[in-house]
């Protein structure tokens, strides 16, 4: 069963449900059946949404790895700088190299993080576009269904419209003082 069929069944469940007395826009719905339908939707989510969640997880993992790599590079650079500083003859050269290594590590870290963030943004944009397309398809299907219901008098009649004339003919309720 695909999502469109499940949504159609949810629509039918709402159409067949009875109205709450004195509040025509509220319905009594079979909660257990509605929960089954919602679970069916979750099980039949489009592959793109599941893939987007996986991509988001992978992107977070990549960002964390990039951060750990950057920290490791910086730590190695600092250790190397300390080793060089300990040698008196080349103290000045060691400071220059340490600064250069730190700058390169920070630049590499920044570049890794930027690239990972750009990749995540693109993946999220793709997932959003897929989600929006799915929503648009659902709206179109729903509009077609409503158009079909309006076009066919036998199909367009719902329990509410059948109950309204009876409610209008009922005697008014009077309050006792």
């Amino acid at each position: 069963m695909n999502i469109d069929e499940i949504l159609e069944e949810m629509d039918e469940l709402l159409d067949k449900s009875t109205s709450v007395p004195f509040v025509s826009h509220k319905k009594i719905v079979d909660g257990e059946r509605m929960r089954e339908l919602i679970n069916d939707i979750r099980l039949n989510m489009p592959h793109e949404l599941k893939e987007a969640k996986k991509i988001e997880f992978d992107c977070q993992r990549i960002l964390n790895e990039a951060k750990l790599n950057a920290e490791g590079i910086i730590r190695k650079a600092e250790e190397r700088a300390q080793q060089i500083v300990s040698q008196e003859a080349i103290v000045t050269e060691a400071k220059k190299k340490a600064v250069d290594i730190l700058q390169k590590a920070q630049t590499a870290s920044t570049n890794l993080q930027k690239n990972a963030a750009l990749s995540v943004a693109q993946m999220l944009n793709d997932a959003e576009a897929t989600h929006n397309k799915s929503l648009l398809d659902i709206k179109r299907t729903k509009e077609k269904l409503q158009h079909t219901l309006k076009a066919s008098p036998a199909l367009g009649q719902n329990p509410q419209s059948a109950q309204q004339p009876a409610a209008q003919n009922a005697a008014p309720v009077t309050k006792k003082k």
Side-chain angles (χ1 to χ4, degrees):
M1 183 181 278
N2 67 33
I3 290 182
D4 290 333
E5 291 169 343
I6 297 168
L7 290 172
E8 178 66 31
E9 202 168 319
M10 290 172 80
D11 261 347
E12 288 176 18
L13 182 64
L14 286 172
D15 288 343
K16 291 178 182 177
S17 61
T18 58
S19 295
V20 173
F22 305 111
V23 186
S24 63
H25 67 279
K26 293 189 178 189
K27 303 274 188 158
I28 298 174
V29 177
D30 180 356
E32 195 171 306
R33 180 64 184 138
M34 185 63 76
R35 184 153 321 278
E36 287 173 10
L37 292 172
I38 291 170
N39 286 334
D40 286 348
I41 287 176
R42 284 189 180 116
L43 292 173
N44 290 297
M45 290 296 275
H47 177 71
E48 291 83 3
L49 291 178
K50 291 177 184 174
E51 192 64 29
K53 287 181 182 178
K54 244 172 64 176
I55 289 169
E56 181 182 11
F57 175 79
D58 287 344
C59 290
Q60 190 60 42
R61 182 184 51 78
I62 290 169
L63 285 172
N64 289 338
E65 286 177 8
K67 185 177 179 181
L68 289 174
N69 283 340
E71 290 171 359
I73 291 170
I74 291 170
R75 190 172 36 256
K76 285 180 184 178
E78 288 172 346
E79 289 171 4
R80 180 74 176 133
Q82 287 175 355
Q83 289 173 355
I84 293 174
V85 168
S86 66
Q87 300 172 5
E88 291 182 37
I90 54 171
V91 170
T92 306
E93 186 65 30
K95 287 182 180 179
K96 287 180 184 178
K97 284 186 179 183
V99 168
D100 186 45
I101 290 171
L102 282 172
Q103 287 176 344
K104 286 180 182 177
Q106 289 171 343
T107 301
S109 171
T110 301
N111 288 338
L112 280 172
Q113 289 176 349
K114 282 182 184 179
N115 289 337
L118 288 172
S119 179
V120 168
Q122 181 60 44
M123 290 178 202
L124 290 175
N125 285 340
D126 292 347
E128 180 182 25
T130 300
H131 179 68
N132 286 339
K133 182 184 179 299
S134 295
L135 283 176
L136 185 60
D137 289 344
I138 289 169
K139 287 179 182 178
R140 285 182 185 148
T141 302
K142 193 173 174 183
E143 287 172 1
K144 285 179 185 177
L145 175 64
Q146 289 173 349
H147 183 266
T148 302
L149 289 174
K150 288 178 183 178
S152 175
L155 291 176
Q157 195 173 26
N158 62 29
Q160 271 187 341
S161 62
Q163 292 174 0
Q164 286 179 351
Q168 290 172 352
N169 293 335
V173 177
T174 57
K175 293 183 182 177
K176 292 184 181 180
K177 291 184 180 182

